[in-house]
């Protein structure tokens, strides 16, 4: 299926830059950044900041129109360096014109994959999807329908190490920027996750930290909770303990069977994962202290 | 402050009976109960049932108008016994005309207490409140304002045993049917909870099973969750593991400080606890397998 | 794409019957129905009832296992007639084994169509889809991908009458039971809607009765509301005034552009429409007094 | 009852200033404001801005610590005037140390009043309440319990004009900054509302614009909606059409009677009105084009 934009205005994309930064809080940071951008003719479209008073941190996201911005993006780093160094900033710059390359990992359940692909095709998600990787053949037909390269890489407890090597090779060859685990039911090794820090997004089918680990819907059903939730987070080497990007819940009752929980949860997984992916693509997520700031 | 009904229609109370029962599921249960009630002229107002297919359980709540019901409530037990025994029913009968006697336990935070008392005064909660017990003096002024007897019973780690003995004596003297822990920050002993099985309602300020135990808002803040929740449950001898009656959540963001979490959570605690208490008073809650059915 | 069940347990379908009925409320209705079913050996799986005290109406949904039910479904009507007539019941019987035939109407926006087709293919929706009808060519590729017959029927203000005649002929030929308007942006005539009473399900992109009619997101944006909603309802000859099946809302803020509203709303439309369709397929929806009872 | 802070940290109040402004959008606004504040030694605690691209508007809220701020607040206006005039800013400055004076209007239903008074007493709301005005005697006992002056001003269709004159005199004498209509069931005249522009906060018991006007719960019940809502808004001379500050909804079902709607709605009214009042007190609400920006 060819990509056809559903959102006409989105097709006429603005060409913007986003600067995301964090540094120790002090007086004059806003002025320093605003003056720097103004000096180069930036027309600021959005600016948002957050102070963590307890940790003494300043975090900011600023987006401006690149039309009329006098500084070539390639020169930004050199020009901005003095301010960044003087204030011990950790920062990154992203251009809206460059589409990040997103790999999707999936196991048998393909509802999140189908949802992401539909959003991709309708241009809600501004990215490229160079490859889908799965430990099952099941998702191949969806990949084919959307014309995305599909790689089936089997995994067993003995083959895990080799399988991850192969996965990394495929990702490298496809020049992937970040990975979305769209109900991928295998645990990634610490070696693997270290290769993509804050660049692997998972959807866990519970309201973390409740029911971390395996079979969360079964355990929620057993416990008799009145709401079930899902959590999208960056993957770290600690299972289900990475920085949370988004969570949501849905009400259940005694009338709901385990199958109902799984079905209601599936709808929530699609929504929550797609939000997390879109915010990541929009450079809205800043991680610190194992938490996230999601600039809206 | 005198009690003035806010809900005029509620003042003109219907005189009804509620039968709550559970038993092994089998054919003919609905017919047996419906025929029994019909034989005595019951006009059924509400009937609701639930089958737990996995456990093979049948659970039912049926409410009927006592006007025109030919069987005196005092004779119900004897007449219903054959059906109950033949079907191994666990059951109880409640009359709307009899107001249950509810004790409230509270520590320093009195928002849930204030909320319950306002609902009591406006006749949203159909009960008597013969006593408020606290390990602090703080809540006395609220008790006084509403004209409810207040007992300050101090508790320290050494005095816990004696304090509970005193609490039990006060409860017994006040002829209490059930207890609401309205942000009562002491842990009740297994001896105490055994005296009021499925008759102690707690409000825990987290989305259980996440953050059970102490300081849940602090830990939610640390973990960086995107929603906070509260849970009302029956108290058992396992801390925060009793059957859940109701839960709800509210969205937070990185902009919310710990104080914001506590404030937002407090609003939720009032709502969720008041729902659980009202459902308990309306005989809508049936416990089985450490879960609840809440008949709506 | 071939249909592959995602929910293994759903594939091993129970063979059940559902009786939906409404009648004037009186004593003995539950007993009469329970006795009738018991006499024929029915094992009741779910029973739910509702009384509208104001209108004096009794409404019921009862589902039983057809294994062990002694009465052939073809004989049900004749056997049940005496009870139905004596109590002035309006009733219908549905068998889970028979899959209803659902037509989908769609215009340009195809997110609801894509969502329904995915749920259909994964056997979440137990129905047949004999035809998709659209006034645009846009959705043909989705229909093709799922192997569903697609009919493009153009509509202009002059051709409306003829177009509806053609639509009705297609529906008749496809032996359609009910119609889902999955963001179909044409208004159906009273003649058309009269042919499918309580059998046309629409999704309206506002929280009805707010913003009925055209361009609801634009008007919600103009009005500065803080939540947007969507409504699924049965279509009558009064635009956007039919019985509401389901509604839901999502929070927005001043940061959300009109495009954000449209995007957030689209996610809600999919969820709410799919709930309404599933409840209709499960025979959970009973209409009276331009309202619905949704038995859960 | 004496005021006792529930939130210890809130008692140790920071002394801050908040600047709220709107103006035509142009380059350099952020830099101009940041430089001005920095020049006087401001330590910015929060800064948030919003651009309305369609209307070409820039809106900002900035809060800074007054400790270390070199400019006396009394001199702010004169110093800031050149920037404000050059950029056609509409602006206002508020100091956290000054508690706004809030009048509460109420009719018979006093749940919102009770809620506001409890929040006031527990220092969640940083304001003074010099007077409560009602067209009934009903709320006097609550006013007395909290030690707030209470004025009973009767209103009939003939006395409306005189009653409003008396109300305005009482408000003037009490030096009131803004008014909260806590379920005040009388319509204010255009003359009255013109005296307190964007300074009268109402709670309407529907999800506006649905069910504006009288008896919204009754009409929601009649319409068969699946959610009910409430709306807090600034009062203008157009009934229920002023700028919306906050809205929220709660789910209902066919099991809910009209009394249930009223009861569920009442809980929502308290929450939504208290949010609107707190945001107003925190100077977070900026009105433009009959909409609000609520800076969080």
């Amino acid at each position: 299926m060819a990509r056809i934009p559903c959102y006409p205005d989105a097709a006429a994309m603005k060409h913007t830059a986003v600067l995301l930064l964090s540094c120790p809080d002090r007086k004059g940071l806003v002025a320093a950044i605003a003056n720097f951008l103004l000096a180069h003719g930036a027309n600021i479209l959005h600016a948002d900041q957050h102070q963590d008073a307890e940790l003494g941190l300043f975090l900011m996201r600023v987006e401006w129109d690149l039309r009329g911005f006098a500084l070539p993006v390639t020169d930004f780093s050199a020009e901005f360096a003095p301010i960044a160094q003087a204030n011990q900033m950790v920062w990154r710059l992203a251009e809206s014109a460059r589409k990040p390359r997103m790999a999707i990992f999936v196991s048998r359940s393909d509802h999140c994959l189908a949802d992401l692909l539909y959003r991709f095709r309708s241009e809600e998600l501004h990215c490229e999807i160079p490859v889908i990787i799965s430990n099952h053949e099941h998702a191949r037909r969806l990949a084919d329908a959307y014309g995305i390269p599909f790689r089936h890489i089997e995994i067993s407890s003995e083959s895990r190490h080799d399988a991850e090597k192969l996965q990394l090779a495929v990702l490298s060859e496809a020049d992937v920027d970040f990975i979305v685990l769209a109900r991928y039911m295998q645990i990634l090794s610490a070696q693997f996750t270290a290769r993509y820090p804050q660049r692997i997004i998972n959807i866990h089918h519970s309201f973390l930290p409740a029911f971390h680990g395996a079979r969360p819907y079964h355990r929620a059903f057993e416990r008799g909770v009145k709401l079930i939730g899902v959590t999208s987070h960056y993957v770290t080497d600690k299972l289900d303990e990475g920085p949370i990007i988004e969570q949501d819940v849905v009400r259940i009752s005694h009338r709901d069977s385990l199958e109902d929980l799984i079905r209601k949860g599936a709808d929530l997984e699609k929504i929550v994962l797609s939000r997390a992916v879109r915010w990541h693509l929009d450079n809205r997520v800043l991680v610190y202290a194992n938490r996230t700031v999601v600039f809206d």
Side-chain angles (χ1 to χ4, degrees), chain A:
Chain A
M1 287 180 276
R3 297 182 67 186
I4 297 181
C6 272
Y7 307 103
D9 295 350
M13 284 289 293
K14 291 172 300 215
H15 192 183
T16 67
V18 171
L19 176 66
L20 269 177
L21 63 85
S22 63
C23 63
D25 196 13
R26 65 169 64 165
K27 283 186 190 180
L29 288 168
V30 175
I33 295 160
N35 288 332
F36 174 83
L37 292 174
L38 183 62
H40 295 286
N43 185 21
I44 294 177
L45 301 173
H46 302 282
D48 198 0
Q49 64 193 76
H50 177 63
Q51 276 109 325
D52 187 307
E54 198 188 344
L55 301 181
L57 269 179
F58 175 87
L59 308 108
M60 189 173 196
R61 179 186 188 274
V62 56
E63 181 171 8
W64 65 93
D65 199 329
L66 283 173
R67 291 170 305 184
F69 189 60
L71 186 62
V73 166
T74 45
D75 298 347
F76 186 91
S77 183
E79 291 289 319
F80 191 61
I83 294 172
Q85 282 161 20
N87 294 288
Q88 301 167 264
M89 290 177 181
V90 176
W91 64 276
R92 67 174 192 265
L93 185 78
E95 273 182 278
S96 64
R98 184 190 170 279
K99 290 187 176 179
R101 298 172 68 79
M102 169 174 93
I104 305 178
F105 281 40
V106 64
S107 292
R108 264 197 69 84
S109 293
D110 63 4
H111 53 281
C112 285
L113 174 66
D115 184 73
L116 290 172
L117 292 178
Y118 178 81
R119 294 177 195 273
F120 165 70
R121 194 211 61 187
S122 55
E123 305 216 338
E124 181 187 322
L125 298 178
H126 300 289
C127 62
E128 302 295 342
I129 306 183
V131 67
I132 295 168
I133 294 177
S134 180
N135 54 331
H136 293 280
E137 273 293 329
H138 185 71
R140 185 183 293 276
R141 60 198 170 131
L142 265 172
D144 288 352
Y146 284 90
I148 313 277
F150 178 83
R151 287 297 298 268
H152 176 202
I153 301 178
E154 265 189 79
I155 297 188
S156 63
S157 42
E158 305 84 51
S159 70
R160 183 166 313 274
H161 183 70
D162 290 344
E164 284 201 348
K165 274 183 68 176
L166 182 51
Q167 289 172 341
L168 287 168
V170 170
L171 294 172
S172 175
E173 192 191 348
D175 195 17
V176 158
D177 291 301
F178 73 106
I179 300 165
V180 174
L181 308 183
R183 296 299 309 267
Y184 181 65
M185 299 286 91
Q186 300 289 323
I187 296 173
L188 300 174
S189 71
Q191 288 75 13
F192 190 106
T193 60
R195 293 282 288 274
Y196 290 90
Q198 298 173 16
R199 292 191 287 145
I200 306 175
I201 299 174
N202 187 38
I203 182 76
H204 182 76
H205 42 311
S206 85
F207 184 77
L208 289 176
F211 308 121
H212 67 274
R215 293 165 61 86
Y217 290 135
H218 291 74
R219 288 150 64 207
F221 184 75
E222 281 299 310
R223 180 62 186 92
V225 293
K226 300 299 185 183
L227 302 162
I228 55 167
V230 306
T231 303
S232 188
H233 63 95
Y234 287 116
V235 176
T236 64
D237 58 348
K238 294 197 180 62
L239 184 65
D240 297 337
E241 295 191 9
I244 294 171
I245 306 170
E246 173 63 338
Q247 301 185 290
D248 215 336
V249 297
V250 67
R251 186 161 287 275
I252 58 168
S253 83
H254 60 274
R255 298 176 207 274
D256 287 303
S257 65
L258 177 58
E259 282 71 37
D260 292 324
L261 264 63
I262 292 171
R263 178 179 47 74
K264 288 186 170 185
D267 275 352
L268 213 52
E269 293 162 24
K270 292 184 286 190
I271 299 273
V272 168
L273 180 58
S274 73
R275 284 184 200 148
V277 170
R278 197 176 57 251
W279 295 339
H280 181 89
L281 285 170
D282 286 351
N283 295 289
R284 299 193 171 281
V285 191
L286 205 46
V287 174
Y288 78 99
N290 207 44
R291 275 177 272 173
T292 62
V293 169
V294 179
F295 291 110
D296 51 2

